[in-house]
Amino acid sequence: MGVYLKVYHVDEEVMVAVCDDDVLDKEFSEGDLCLKVSRNFYGEQHADYDEVVSALGEATIANLVGKQSVACAVENGFVD
């Protein structure tokens, strides 16, 4: 699993940001919508499957981009 992981703590919230290697530093747009998958936001730390699962277990908010990141969250029951 090739992903980047960054954890944010704001007050009582824990936001976990995870993105696949192949989408980092890319921009996606559709109509008026635009998603920039920036290294600033998703961090520079590579993570393995177990690290992502552990972080998502503590999350109150998850920001997931990419097939591997979303599949990991679905497989472990964090999202439908």
Side-chain angles (χ1 to χ4, degrees):
M1 177 175 205
V3 299
Y4 286 88
L5 167 70
K6 190 167 183 181
V7 179
Y8 295 87
H9 298 272
V10 180
D11 298 325
E12 300 297 316
E13 303 294 335
V14 177
M15 183 174 69
V16 173
V18 185
C19 77
D20 292 8
D21 284 350
D22 64 342
V23 297
L24 187 66
D25 294 325
K26 291 191 178 180
E27 188 173 313
F28 302 91
S29 59
E30 184 176 315
D32 292 336
L33 301 175
C34 180
L35 172 66
K36 294 179 183 179
V37 187
S38 72
R39 190 172 302 272
N40 239 7
F41 184 76
Y42 291 92
E44 302 207 13
Q45 176 186 341
H46 271 103
D48 64 26
Y49 191 88
D50 291 334
E51 290 171 314
V52 172
V53 171
S54 178
L56 288 172
E58 302 297 320
T60 58
I61 302 166
N63 183 302
L64 309 165
V65 180
K67 291 179 181 179
Q68 292 180 83
S69 299
V70 173
C72 177
V74 170
E75 289 168 7
N76 289 280
F78 295 112
V79 296
D80 292 330

